[in-house]
Amino acid sequence: KINNFLKFESLKIEFYSCFKNPPEEAPEDFVLLKIYDEINKNKPVLIYQGWMISSSPATTPLEHPIYDLWIKSCKIETDSS
């Protein structure tokens, strides 16, 4: 979810924005995020900040000795009321 975060092991992944190409275009997802390594709880380290692109993860990779994170897709929730 946008403006939320996910914890995985020592990583905290914050999601800020998500865009998808229209159905008539090539499938592509763009996600703006920040990733912190909280191996030291008192001093988290920002290890990634920027856009990740689903079709080309090597363009904007997370460089970490243990973790390899790729965006597969983003799910855009709309208000149905």
Side-chain angles (χ1 to χ4, degrees):
K1 293 183 179 182
I2 302 304
N3 297 321
N4 210 337
F5 68 91
L6 171 73
K7 297 274 291 177
F8 177 79
E9 301 289 335
S10 67
L11 299 182
K12 179 181 179 187
I13 306 164
E14 299 177 349
F15 302 94
Y16 292 96
S17 191
C18 169
F19 296 100
K20 296 175 89 59
N21 275 352
E24 63 273 6
E25 293 183 22
E28 189 76 272
D29 297 80
F30 305 88
V31 179
L32 179 61
L33 44 84
K34 284 184 182 179
I35 303 173
Y36 294 90
D37 193 340
E38 296 182 329
I39 194 81
N40 179 348
K41 296 276 186 198
N42 297 325
K43 194 173 181 183
V45 176
L46 178 64
I47 59 171
Y48 184 90
Q49 177 176 338
W51 290 94
M52 283 197 176
I53 305 166
S54 62
S55 70
S56 55
T59 303
T60 55
L62 167 66
E63 294 182 11
H64 192 276
I66 299 172
Y67 302 111
D68 188 16
L69 183 106
W70 292 8
I71 297 300
K72 288 174 59 177
S73 67
C74 66
K75 186 175 183 179
I76 300 173
E77 296 181 5
T78 58
D79 187 7
S80 60
S81 56

